Structures are given as structure tokens and as C-alpha cells.
């Protein structure tokens, strides 16, 4: 394991982490969801596809609060 330094993480308390083969995501205590990793098919749900992996955790924009 290693510590990840990211503006998306540094000011958020992580409540849950999910890891897949090529992408991962986490849920903050405030109910925000961030994803990163492979996004060639739009699997990160961040609004666009990318041929290169997304290395910076990106917040999923939603009107729903997750818990």
C-alpha cells in the first residue's frame, strides 16, 4: 500500500473504496463519489471517454447523495 496525494482526497474522509481490474473509486463521508483508472469505454461515469487512463480521482457529478 502507498499514500496517494491528490486534492480530491486530501480534504475528504474516505468512507469506502472499491477496486476493479482497471479502475477504482471511493465514497467520501460527505457522500461524494470519485473514480479513476481506465476510462476507454466511459466506465468512470465522469461524462467523457479517454484513451489514456485518468490518474487524478475525478468526482462523479450527480444530484443523488450516496451513502
Amino acid at each position: 500500500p502507498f499514500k496517494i496525494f491528490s486534492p480530491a482526497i486530501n480534504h475528504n474522509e474516505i468512507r469506502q473504496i472499491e477496486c476493479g481490474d482497471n479502475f477504482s473509486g471511493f465514497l467520501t463521508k460527505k457522500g461524494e463519489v470519485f473514480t479513476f483508472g481506465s476510462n476507454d469505454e466511459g466506465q468512470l461515469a465522469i461524462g467523457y471517454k479517454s484513451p489514456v487512463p485518468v490518474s487524478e480521482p475525478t468526482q462523479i457529478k450527480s444530484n443523488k447523495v450516496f451513502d
Side-chain angles (χ1 to χ4, degrees), residues 2-45:
F2 58 93
K3 188 170 185 172
I4 298 173
F5 294 98
S6 165
I9 298 173
N10 292 341
H11 301 290
N12 289 298
E13 186 175 333
I14 306 302
R15 183 170 176 187
Q16 183 176 345
I17 298 174
E18 295 293 330
C19 301
D21 289 337
N22 298 308
F23 62 96
S24 300
F26 60 88
L27 172 67
T28 69
K29 190 172 182 178
K30 294 188 272 184
E32 300 165 324
V33 176
F34 292 80
T35 57
F36 56 99
S38 178
N39 191 40
D40 55 334
E41 296 182 23
Q43 60 267 50
L44 297 183

